[in-house]
């Protein structure tokens, strides 16, 4: 007898507290080999000891037990001696897992223990069973457990009832048979058993169809009004929260007792649950007088918690208020200050809840205030009192503080910063910026966020910035100003070069916005700002900067052609020279995309430079009075223009179409043209692999995001894609190109574009040489995207519903967002024009199969699959007294109750097949007699 | 329902971990250390509900594998353990009612942590932790961390009198204590019944075998002695 007991093992482990990992590992290894030997041995006592030791080690260290561990546990479980058996049952849940086959071996042992005449064995078996039950085991032991629910000892009944829940969960068919037994336990003499039953019913009601439990309402109601057990009352109240949504008449009945509980109970936990049931149970909805009064009582109670010393109550109050906001936002609004104060709490749990509450409270009136408050939490503490005013002041603040993050409030952990920043983004962009009334303010908030967030939200910021400018036309000028400031901001450029993802993404967005929307006024300066300066900037940002510079140049060049003279010519040449300098020195050419853009531009600008150099500009342009110059220009109209033609080389590359936001899901609604086979590979994959092994990786990487794009922001994707050129073919798919002014593009322009494209492709190894017809992407029959200006205009002026939704669902206007009508009167929608819908392809009125599938209600796992309608038999058995109470308050439903009484006790069971497996089951009807027969 | 009950000390060492829905051992200890890292950061006087960005309760799929967590959710994603063999497609549309919450209490050197879903009342669970601790106190008479360490099987049994299969079995302190006393007596009787020698076995609290006691000795010597002892014993 030299074996170590559990105590010895623990002492050994404790003596290794300070030893090295190797020593500990050696000790564990030794202990394990000992355990293995004990498990293998014949002595049951030692085996049990080995099992306990293994369990202890498993709890402390993620050690894998020996493969036969489960088997040995089964042996111990079936030991004749109580203390060993007990250890076996305790160890069983740790030894068995989903795929443990040994569970099968336990069936007989468990059944034997369940039915043992020894009073102490059934509770043990029930305890173990609850933890290890599998569908097969549930089927085998169900009948025995059901019998135990009528055991003479309350302790056994209680355990049996709880075990039933796990059995129903794993083996839903048992619920059909066992439901009545469960119901009977509601009338048990022992309050503990009743409480356990309520517990199980509450769980079942949450996890399966709550309708099944409606017939129990009279009994539950009686318990609610008579019981004083808070534990049980909490559960009953929670149970009613799942029942009232499906039986609205319960609300009227429940209002008095719940109101009574709310105003009298000293138990705060119960009070809170009552309040929550009022809210989640829909008792406050419908704007009835009683509902409103109750809501007021609830909010008053909760608001006292809000300022309570006890942090737990504060937390609970915030949790409950979130629920009340959708129906009674004005009641919560009264406490906005207290709630905002909670954002300052030192407890992150409370701040998280306050944050959630605040985001649900946001409306058009308070958005600015709340966002300002939230941003101030991101700003380092010492400067916080200054508050957030605008980008410039923050810029100064952050510039000071970024160097020394030490003073930063330690409250604001990185994860919390991220949460906070995301909340700000989410609450402002919700419902396509529905709450934003001042977009200039919004743009500056986004840029402030870029300064202060210090959280990885760059991609989201970029997406939102681009999305907002493309939707709100009036914002573009102001955005360009802000964005140019970003481009010039050293904080950003150094951070972006240092690899800060957020700054880099924001610079990306800023560059794109400047390129797309800047005016030609002072364009040379803008171009110089746009040109990449840092070699460590990310390649995609470099690429965007280059393209943006080219865009601005294109516009500027076409502008200066009007006033062409020697001064302008020199200015133009200087600028081109600067561009060449930047192309040579600045950009990050380590990646293909930057390299490609740079070489594109350098060729184009070479062309322009040569052309401009050859041109001899009139040097008297500036001296001429305006009128004369015009006349002069007209005189000359027939002949060769004075300016170099290449000034118009770049403009059509970028301005030939307008970039509009693309409708949500527009991508997936483009219908497939007839005869387009997407399944056959263009090139035999095997061949491709053999020949281009590894070559294609890059282009694949870039294509990948395209496919997922529909989910997020199609508009943005399109915009970004267009800017870096990789989506050019898709843009071509719009059919005849339309210039900004709406006139179709001329043949010459198109030819010029094609030539330019070919020149690009010729130098690019990724393009296969193709003949002209195939290369003409314009001729590929893709459904034309509609750009309907009239429609857009009207949609913007009226408050737009989602075009997509209304078309798909009913063809009518979609309902308004559930906001309070009051609010709309106070804050009239400002004249900001927002394109909330975006473009949609023609003929996209029908939903695609994938959307339909997505819209279909998902069935939940577990018991949700079991949709049992048992209204047939249960009320028939309800006690007369409770029946009477129930009927009293629903005089308007006599037919239904009569029906119930008249119906013979038949359980109609409808098993709704899970949608994927298409397992169909007919409606089963089972006789109550058969049920009891089976269970006995 | 209650998804897990954990006890660990101020250093994050587990003293009890009970999961009412099976979770792979790796995820269990990962969750424990994750919860510990959040909880130990919280000074006294804050609320007893743990709610932190970046806290996630692993979800188990039908095959027993841990599912990837949902992103962008502050509170823990749940839908965990809704019965195996039933499919989990519906997990994503659960509302926050079904999210897991972590409720904890800190007593001296020990943290008592309950992980529960929306069916439990937060404040109720807080009371339940108190009940659990008081039951332990009655069982071990002035319970301390060492009691839990050396009688970890008994701690499981006390818990089993309060919670069964994730549902609350009993909340009455006296009732729990009497049940615990009963099982204890039964066990003692069973131990004594067939094997009078084992009176001095682990269950009566006494140590067995001299080898284990010499904790301070050189490890290798002790190990060698045990190994040879084992060889003699089994031969």
């Amino acid at each position: 007898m030299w074996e170590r007991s559990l105590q010895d093992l623990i002492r050994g482990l404790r003596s290794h507290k300070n030893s090295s990992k190797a020593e500990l590992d050696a000790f564990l290894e030794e202990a394990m080999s000992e355990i293995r030997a004990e498990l293998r041995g014949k002595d049951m006592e030692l085996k049990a000891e080995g099992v306990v030791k293994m369990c202890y080690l498993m709890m402390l260290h993620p050690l894998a037990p020996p493969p036969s561990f489960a088997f040995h546990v089964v042996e111990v479980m079936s030991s004749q001696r109580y203390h060993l058996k007990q250890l076996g049952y305790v160890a069983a849940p740790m030894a068995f897992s989903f795929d443990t086959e040994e569970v099968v071996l336990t069936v007989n042992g468990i059944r034997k223990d369940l039915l043992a005449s020894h009073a102490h064995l059934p509770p043990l078996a029930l305890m173990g069973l609850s933890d290890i039950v599998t569908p097969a085991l549930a089927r085998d032991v169900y009948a025995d457990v059901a019998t135990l629910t009528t055991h003479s000892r309350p302790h056994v009944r209680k355990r049996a009832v709880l075990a039933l829940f796990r059995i129903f969960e794993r083996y839903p068919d048992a619920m059909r048979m066992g439901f009545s037994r469960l119901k009977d336990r509601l009338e048990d003499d022992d309050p503990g058993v009743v409480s356990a039953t309520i517990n199980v019913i509450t769980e079942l009601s949450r996890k399966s169809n709550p309708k099944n439990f409606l017939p129990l309402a009279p009994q539950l109601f009686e318990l609610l009004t008579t019981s004083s057990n808070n534990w049980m009352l909490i559960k009953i109240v929670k149970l009613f929260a799942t029942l009232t949504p499906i039986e609205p008449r319960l609300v009227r009945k429940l209002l008095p007792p719940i109101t009574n509980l709310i105003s009298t109970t000293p138990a705060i936990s119960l009070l809170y649950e009552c309040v929550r049931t009022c809210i989640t149970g829909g008792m406050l909805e419908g704007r009835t007088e009683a509902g409103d009064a109750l809501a007021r009582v609830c909010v008053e109670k909760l608001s006292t918690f809000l300022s309570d010393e006890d942090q737990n109550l504060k937390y609970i109050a915030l949790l409950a208020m979130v629920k009340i906001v959708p129906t009674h936002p004005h009641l919560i609004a009264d406490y906005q200050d207290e709630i905002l104060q909670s954002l300052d709490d030192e407890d992150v749990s409370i701040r998280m809840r306050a944050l959630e509450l605040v985001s649900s409270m946001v409306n058009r009136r308070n958005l600015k205030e709340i966002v300002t408050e939230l941003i101030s939490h991101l700003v380092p503490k010492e400067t916080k009192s200054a508050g957030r005013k605008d980008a410039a002041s923050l810029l100064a603040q952050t510039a000071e503080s970024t160097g020394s993050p030490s003073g930063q409030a330690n409250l604001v952990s990185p994860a919390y910063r991220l949460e906070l920043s995301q909340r700000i983004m989410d609450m402002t962009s919700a419902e396509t910026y529905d709450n934003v009334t001042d977009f200039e303010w919004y743009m500056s908030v986004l840029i402030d966020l870029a300064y202060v967030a210090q959280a990885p939200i760059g991609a989201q910021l970029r997406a939102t910035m681009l999305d907002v400018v493309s939707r709100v036309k009036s914002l573009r000028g102001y955005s360009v100003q802000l964005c140019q400031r970003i481009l010039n901001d050293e904080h950003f450029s150094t951070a972006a070069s240092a690899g800060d993802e957020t700054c880099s993404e924001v610079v990306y967005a800023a560059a794109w916005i400047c390129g797309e929307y800047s005016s030609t006024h002072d364009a040379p300066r803008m171009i110089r700002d746009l040109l990449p300066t840092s070699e460590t900037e990310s390649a995609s940002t470099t690429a965007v900067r280059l393209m943006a510079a080219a865009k601005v140049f294109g516009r500027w060049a076409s502008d200066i052609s009007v006033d062409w003279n020697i001064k302008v010519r020199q200015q133009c040449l200087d600028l081109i020279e600067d561009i060449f300098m930047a192309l040579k020195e600045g950009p990050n050419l380590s990646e293909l995309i930057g390299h490609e853009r740079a070489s594109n531009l350098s060729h184009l600008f070479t062309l322009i430079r040569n052309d401009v150099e050859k041109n001899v500009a009139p040097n008297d342009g500036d001296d001429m009075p305006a009128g004369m110059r015009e006349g002069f220009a007209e005189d000359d109209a027939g002949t060769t223009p004075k300016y170099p033609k290449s000034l118009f080389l770049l403009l059509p590359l970028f301005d030939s179409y307008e970039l509009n936001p693309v409708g949500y899901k527009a991508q997936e609604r483009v219908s497939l043209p007839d005869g387009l086979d997407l399944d056959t590979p263009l090139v035999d994959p095997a061949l491709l692999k053999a020949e281009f092994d590894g070559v294609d990786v890059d282009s694949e990487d870039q294509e990948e995001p395209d496919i997922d794009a529909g989910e997020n922001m199609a508009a943005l994707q399109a915009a970004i894609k267009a800017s870096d050129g990789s989506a050019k073919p898709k843009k071509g798919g719009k059919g005849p190109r339309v210039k900004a002014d709406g006139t179709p593009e001329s043949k010459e322009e198109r030819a010029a574009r094609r030539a330019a494209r070919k020149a690009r492709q010729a130098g690019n190894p990724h393009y296969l040489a193709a003949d002209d017809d195939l290369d003409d992407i314009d001729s590929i029959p893709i459904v034309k995207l509609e750009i309907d200006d009239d429609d857009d205009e009207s949609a913007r002026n009226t408050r737009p519903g989602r075009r997509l939704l209304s078309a798909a669902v009913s063809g009518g206007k979609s309902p308004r967002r559930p906001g309070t009508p009051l609010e709309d009167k106070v804050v009239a929608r400002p004249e900001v024009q927002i394109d909330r819908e975006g473009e949609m392809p023609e003929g996209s009125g029908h939903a695609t199969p994938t959307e339909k599938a997505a819209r279909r209600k998902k069935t939940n796992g577990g018991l949700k699959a079991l949709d049992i309608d048992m209204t047939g038999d249960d009320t028939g058995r309800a006690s007369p007294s409770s029946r009477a109470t129930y009927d009293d308050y629903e005089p308007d439903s006599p037919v239904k109750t009569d029906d119930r009484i008249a119906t013979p006790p038949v359980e109609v069971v409808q098993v709704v097949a899970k949608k994927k497996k298409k397992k169909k089951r007919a409606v089963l009807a089972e006789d109550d007699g058969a049920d009891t027969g089976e269970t006995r | 329902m209650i998804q897990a009950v954990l006890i660990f000390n101020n250093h994050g060492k587990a003293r009890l971990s009970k999961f009412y829905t099976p979770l792979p051992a790796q995820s269990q200890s990962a969750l424990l250390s994750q919860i510990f890292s959040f909880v130990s950061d919280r000074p006294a006087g804050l609320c007893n509900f743990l709610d932190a960005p970046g806290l996630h309760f692993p979800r188990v799929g039908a095959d027993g594998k841990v599912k990837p967590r949902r992103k962008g959710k502050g509170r823990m994603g749940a839908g965990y353990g809704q019965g195996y063999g039933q499919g989990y497609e519906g997990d994503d549309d659960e509302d926050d009612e079904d999210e897991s919450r972590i409720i904890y209490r800190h007593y001296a050197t020990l943290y008592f942590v309950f992980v529960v879903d929306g069916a439990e009342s937060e404040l109720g669970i807080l009371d339940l932790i108190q009940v659990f601790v008081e039951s332990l106190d009655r069982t071990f008479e002035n319970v301390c961390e060492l009691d839990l360490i050396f009688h970890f099987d008994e701690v499981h049994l006390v818990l089993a009198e309060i919670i069964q299969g994730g549902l609350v079995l009993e909340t009455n302190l006296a009732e729990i204590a009497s049940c615990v006393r009963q099982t204890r007596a039964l066990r003692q009787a069973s131990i004594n019944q067939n094997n009078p020698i084992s009176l001095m076995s682990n269950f009566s609290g006494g140590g067995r075998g001299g080898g284990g006691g010499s904790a301070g000795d050189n490890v290798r010597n002790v190990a060698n002695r045990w190994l040879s002892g084992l060889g003699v014993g089994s031969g």
Side-chain angles (χ1 to χ4, degrees), chain A residues 1-8 10-11 14-16 23 27 30 34 37 45-46 49 52 55-56 59-60 62 81-83 86-87 90 93-94 98 120 126-127 130-135 153 155 158-159 162-163 165-166 169-170 172 199-200 203 206-207 231 234-235 238 268-269 272-273 276 280 311-313 315-316 319 323 346-350 352-353 356 413 415-416 419 422 857-863 865 914-916, chain B residues 1 13-18 20-22 26 29 42-43 45-54 60-64 72 74-75 81-84 86-93 96-98 101 117-128 146 149-153 156-157 160-161 164-165 167-171 175 179 182-183 186-187 190-191 194-195 202-203 207-210 212-213 215 219 223 226 229-230 233:
Chain A
M1 294 281 279
W2 292 105
E3 293 77 16
R4 259 183 295 191
S5 69
L6 173 65
Q7 264 72 13
D8 299 329
I10 293 169
R11 282 196 197 98
R14 286 169 69 79
S15 72
H16 281 80
E23 282 176 307
F27 178 81
E30 193 184 294
E34 221 173 272
E45 196 88 41
L46 284 181
E49 195 68 40
V52 177
C55 287
Y56 187 79
M59 177 181 80
L60 280 180
R81 300 177 59 198
Y82 181 79
H83 68 285
Q86 194 181 38
L87 283 179
V90 168
M94 283 182 249
F98 287 102
H120 51 267
L126 287 168
M127 171 197 94
S130 295
D131 283 333
I132 61 170
V133 67
T134 62
R153 287 180 60 208
H155 184 69
K158 214 158 50 180
R159 283 196 182 270
L162 293 186
F165 167 67
R166 298 299 258 194
E169 204 181 32
R170 303 286 188 259
N199 211 337
V200 170
E203 286 293 334
R206 288 169 56 84
K207 291 191 172 157
W231 264 100
I234 287 175
K235 287 285 176 184
K238 270 191 178 285
I268 292 154
S269 48
Y272 164 68
E273 291 305 336
R276 206 157 72 169
T280 54
Q311 293 277 22
N312 289 333
L313 298 186
Y315 180 90
I316 293 288
L319 205 57
K323 302 264 157 59
E346 60 165 332
D347 188 342
V348 70
S349 297
I350 288 183
M352 289 286 286
R353 286 308 109 219
E356 190 188 8
S413 69
Y416 184 68
E419 179 79 24
Q422 268 170 350
K857 173 113 179 67
K858 290 174 180 171
T859 51
N860 210 338
L863 290 166
K914 262 178 52 216
K915 75 172 182 231
K916 282 214 172 141
Chain B
M1 62 178 269
K13 263 257 185 294
R15 292 304 172 219
L16 171 86
S17 74
K18 175 78 186 165
Y20 290 99
T21 351
Q26 292 287 355
S29 54
R42 294 168 63 81
L46 300 189
C47 74
N48 297 92
F49 310 110
L50 180 62
D51 202 341
V60 179
D63 49 359
R75 302 179 87 197
Q82 292 182 350
Y84 21 97
Q86 292 294 334
Y88 284 80
E89 287 93 347
D91 281 2
D92 287 330
D93 58 5
D96 67 352
E97 276 289 289
D98 283 327
R101 299 115 203 257
D117 72 5
E120 301 300 330
S121 144
E122 285 88 346
L123 293 169
I125 291 296
L126 211 50
D127 290 344
L128 192 68
L146 281 179
I149 296 171
F150 283 102
H151 302 277
F152 110 107
D153 46 344
H156 270 280
L157 290 173
E161 295 298 336
Q164 176 183 306
L167 298 182
V168 176
L169 177 71
E170 183 58 67
T171 54
E175 176 76 21
C179 286
Q182 234 168 17
T183 41
L186 277 168
R187 190 159 78 160
S190 162
I191 291 168
N194 296 353
N195 191 0
N202 51 327
F203 295 116
R208 175 171 51 141
V219 187
W226 276 335
L230 191 69

Side-chain angles (χ1 to χ4, degrees), chain A residues 174-186:
Chain A
M175 195 157 141
R176 240 182 300 147
M177 304 176 275
F179 186 71
S180 61
R181 284 182 177 274
L182 197 59
K183 195 173 64 73
D184 291 344
R185 286 308 104 216
L186 279 179

Side-chain angles (χ1 to χ4, degrees), chain A residues 176-240:
Chain A
R176 240 182 300 147
M177 304 176 275
F179 186 71
S180 61
R181 284 182 177 274
L182 197 59
K183 195 173 64 73
D184 291 344
R185 286 308 104 216
L186 279 179
E187 321 217 325
D188 201 283
D189 301 329
D190 186 88
V193 179
V194 180
S195 181
T197 312
I198 293 284
N199 211 337
V200 170
I201 291 174
T202 310
E203 286 293 334
L204 287 174
S205 166
R206 288 169 56 84
K207 291 191 172 157
S208 70
N209 184 2
K211 222 176 176 170
N212 302 333
F213 305 95
L214 265 186
L216 304 179
Q219 280 158 291
L220 295 174
F221 186 79
E222 192 174 295
L223 287 170
L224 179 69
T225 44
T226 55
S227 172
S228 59
N229 177 351
N230 281 339
W231 264 100
M232 194 164 76
L233 284 175
I234 287 175
K235 287 285 176 184
I236 296 177
V237 168
K238 270 191 178 285
L239 178 53
F240 273 120

Side-chain angles (χ1 to χ4, degrees), chain A residues 484-485 487-488 520-531 552 556 571 575 578:
Chain A
Q484 192 170 12
R485 223 180 288 163
L487 292 176
N488 282 317
T520 52
H521 174 71
D522 205 13
R525 202 182 138 217
M526 176 61 89
I527 291 170
R528 290 186 175 102
D529 287 343
L530 280 169
L531 286 172
V552 181
W556 179 70
Q571 205 182 355
L575 185 57
D578 281 356

Side-chain angles (χ1 to χ4, degrees), chain A residues 650-658 736-745 749 753:
Chain A
L650 290 182
L651 187 62
L653 293 181
F654 303 111
D655 278 14
S656 46
Y657 48 84
E658 196 186 355
R737 283 175 192 258
V738 179
K739 283 206 260 183
D741 57 0
T743 56
E745 200 180 16
E749 283 172 293
R753 236 177 346 92

